[in-house]
Amino acid sequence: MKTQIMPLDEFLQLNTDEQVENLKRWKMDYTLKDIREAWGFKHSAQYYMLLKKLRIYERVVNKSDKFYPEQIMNGAPYGLDRSGEAGSPYGLQNQKVPADQFGYQLNVSLTGPELADKLERLAQFLKGEQKLVAIKLSVEAVTEEEKMEEEPGA
């Protein structure tokens, strides 16, 4: 019998052990998307950051389901392609980042909505970061001439 996913405000009132127990039970009956939607989270990053903030992330998330910040930028599914190998249009290009650090590079042409989605997901992740973050950002429209140069066979 499925246990109903309780509203987020009720969940936050529980003690740590009860939170972990409920999440483990819900994970057996529901998908991450179901839990996210029940709590009004638009992106998985919000869910994972909440678990980290509550200090229950390691107790709840399976090793194969771990969330790695670089997944926000390379769009890889859980547990896949953390390497950012060359050829990935927005990977980390084999950069080594210490475990308590994060780093992103985005060097690709995207449509406005695609870029907005990537930046939204990054913003959600950064809301949980207390570290000072350095950023270089350049956004410009691609001309028709540049677009022709990027297309294969053009």
Side-chain angles (χ1 to χ4, degrees):
M1 181 175 166
K2 282 188 177 183
T3 308
Q4 184 79 19
I5 300 172
M6 68 177 63
L8 180 58
D9 56 336
E10 288 179 32
F11 174 81
L12 295 173
Q13 300 302 315
L14 301 175
N15 70 42
T16 301
D17 290 334
E18 291 172 323
Q19 289 174 341
V20 170
E21 183 181 319
N22 277 300
L23 282 169
K24 286 183 177 182
R25 192 174 318 120
W26 295 335
K27 283 177 60 180
M28 288 188 288
D29 296 332
Y30 299 97
T31 65
L32 173 58
K33 183 178 179 185
D34 295 330
I35 298 170
R36 267 188 14 227
E37 288 176 353
W39 287 353
F41 291 161
K42 188 172 180 181
H43 300 291
S44 297
Q46 293 171 283
Y47 167 79
Y48 289 115
M49 292 310 297
L50 174 67
L51 297 185
K52 286 184 180 222
K53 181 179 176 184
L54 295 173
R55 300 176 194 261
I56 59 174
Y57 178 85
E58 295 298 327
R59 293 175 58 189
V60 174
V61 180
N62 298 330
K63 190 167 188 145
S64 63
D65 292 340
K66 293 286 188 204
F67 170 75
Y68 298 100
E70 60 267 29
Q71 290 174 349
I72 290 174
M73 295 317 246
N74 70 15
Y78 303 118
L80 298 178
D81 194 19
R82 290 192 54 220
S83 65
E85 291 178 12
S88 171
Y90 15 88
L92 291 176
Q93 305 306 325
N94 297 324
Q95 292 181 10
K96 299 295 180 209
V97 179
D100 65 339
Q101 302 279 325
F102 61 91
Y104 303 109
Q105 286 187 355
L106 185 61
N107 187 14
V108 66
S109 296
L110 299 169
T111 65
E114 290 170 330
L115 178 58
D117 183 57
K118 297 286 183 205
L119 294 174
E120 265 183 15
R121 294 172 74 189
L122 179 58
Q124 289 302 324
F125 172 76
L126 289 173
K127 284 183 181 182
E129 281 299 318
Q130 299 305 316
K131 298 177 183 119
L132 188 62
V133 177
I135 184 168
K136 295 176 187 176
L137 179 66
S138 175
V139 179
E140 57 189 55
V142 175
T143 66
E144 285 299 316
E145 197 172 282
E146 291 172 318
K147 189 176 178 182
M148 296 284 285
E149 290 172 7
E150 288 181 4
E151 292 177 2

